[in-house]
Amino acid sequence: MTDNQTVLLTIDGTMATVTLNRPEAMNAFNQDSYRGLMDVAQKIKETPEIRVVIMTGAGDRAFSAGMDLKMIAGGGSGSALLGGYRDGFDRLYGLKSIFTMYEELAVPVIAAINGFCLGAAFELSLCCDIRLCIEQAVFALPEMPLGVIPDLGSTQRLPRIVGPAYAKELIITGRRINALEALRINLVNHVYPKDQLMPEARKLAEEMAKLNPRHVSGAKRAVNMAMSTPLDWGLRLETDICLGAGSGQSFSAEAQKFIQKK
């Protein structure tokens, strides 16, 4: 277990469980949450005994309600422009990179979504390899009605999972969908009663943990490559679009160099 109590890591043999642990705030992300996610991902990466990861939220209300509004008021992702365009780009792309650590882990990551999954938490769940949820789960990207473009990867990852039409509908309207709708559009793999979510997640994890870890890692890497060959470019472009929309500026010098290379 890490020292950061906002994100807990427990290891049981070959299985690790990552728990978003701010139940009093519906597990909303603050600065400590991002540091915790980064530290836990690094710990998993450095622990070869781990063969599969389950990610869930503490309590019985939410996987996570997304970004803590106090963090935004204090200069988090949603107010990245306060530090200037260059600082904002670096900060925002750095947050994306924390989420990407889970996508790039050599082991499968199963999201066990036990309630509300909103905003930044929705975007984190898209970095997981498999998503399971309870019947009462609620999903949404509420940023656009609040005047902000979703900026932690959803404009790039969500179309690859549910297709561009559904992705545009969810991103632009910010509307909430329930578990059955999420299942229908392939956002989640399976829906379970609340008391069956973690047992089913562990059953799936145990099945994966029995397989040759090199084969599992290779298969995951191959699928990710097929789905996201242009992802790095897409994430950089998304960052510029999101920040540029608020500042009126054109692409950053770094992004222009990246475009020329492409």
Side-chain angles (χ1 to χ4, degrees), residues 27-73:
N27 302 318
F29 298 157
N30 61 11
Q31 294 286 1
D32 286 340
S33 301
Y34 284 104
R35 294 189 192 97
L37 284 167
M38 180 174 61
D39 292 344
V40 164
Q42 187 62 33
K43 176 65 175 179
I44 294 170
K45 186 176 179 180
E46 295 172 352
T47 307
E49 294 81 12
I50 296 174
R51 294 191 177 186
V52 64
V53 175
I54 298 173
M55 180 181 291
T56 194
D60 59 2
R61 298 179 62 199
F63 178 74
S64 169
M67 190 80 71
D68 192 322
L69 296 180
K70 293 179 181 179
M71 176 178 168
I72 296 176

Side-chain angles (χ1 to χ4, degrees), residues 10-23:
T10 56
I11 301 173
D12 182 11
T14 58
M15 186 187 309
T17 301
V18 177
T19 304
L20 306 174
N21 188 42
R22 298 186 70 221

Side-chain angles (χ1 to χ4, degrees), residues 51 208-217:
R51 294 191 177 186
M208 292 180 169
K210 293 177 182 177
L211 302 173
N212 184 312
R214 293 182 63 186
H215 294 171
V216 173
S217 175

Side-chain angles (χ1 to χ4, degrees), residues 11-226:
I11 301 173
D12 182 11
T14 58
M15 186 187 309
T17 301
V18 177
T19 304
L20 306 174
N21 188 42
R22 298 186 70 221
E24 74 286 354
M26 294 180 66
N27 302 318
F29 298 157
N30 61 11
Q31 294 286 1
D32 286 340
S33 301
Y34 284 104
R35 294 189 192 97
L37 284 167
M38 180 174 61
D39 292 344
V40 164
Q42 187 62 33
K43 176 65 175 179
I44 294 170
K45 186 176 179 180
E46 295 172 352
T47 307
E49 294 81 12
I50 296 174
R51 294 191 177 186
V52 64
V53 175
I54 298 173
M55 180 181 291
T56 194
D60 59 2
R61 298 179 62 199
F63 178 74
S64 169
M67 190 80 71
D68 192 322
L69 296 180
K70 293 179 181 179
M71 176 178 168
I72 296 176
S77 171
S79 57
L81 289 169
L82 293 178
Y85 185 82
R86 178 67 266 169
D87 290 344
F89 186 97
D90 290 342
R91 185 184 310 153
L92 182 51
Y93 199 76
L95 293 180
K96 295 178 197 285
S97 299
I98 294 173
F99 285 11
T100 300
M101 291 176 74
Y102 288 87
E103 186 173 56
E104 294 181 347
L105 285 174
V107 300
V109 181
I110 301 168
I113 299 166
N114 55 317
F116 287 95
C117 183
L118 310 178
F122 188 133
E123 296 182 285
L124 174 61
S125 78
L126 298 178
C127 297
C128 298
D129 300 293
I130 295 170
R131 285 164 295 281
L132 315 178
C133 74
I134 62 173
E135 295 168 335
Q136 299 84 2
V138 176
F139 300 84
L141 291 165
E143 288 88 346
M144 287 286 282
L146 298 175
V148 180
I149 300 172
D151 54 15
L152 291 176
S154 58
T155 70
Q156 301 304 303
R157 292 187 174 99
L158 189 58
R160 292 171 165 86
I161 294 170
V162 304
Y166 283 128
K168 289 174 184 176
E169 181 179 352
L170 291 174
I171 290 169
I172 294 172
T173 67
R175 72 180 182 88
R176 296 185 174 191
I177 61 171
N178 61 25
L180 292 181
E181 178 71 358
L183 181 64
R184 187 182 72 83
I185 65 174
N186 295 322
L187 177 60
V188 299
N189 297 65
H190 304 284
V191 177
Y192 297 110
K194 183 178 294 187
D195 62 349
Q196 294 182 24
L197 177 65
M198 289 307 292
E200 291 293 339
R202 292 190 185 98
K203 185 186 300 183
L204 178 59
E206 289 169 358
E207 182 179 351
M208 292 180 169
K210 293 177 182 177
L211 302 173
N212 184 312
R214 293 182 63 186
H215 294 171
V216 173
S217 175
K220 171 176 174 173
R221 187 164 57 250
V223 173
N224 282 354
M225 186 175 295

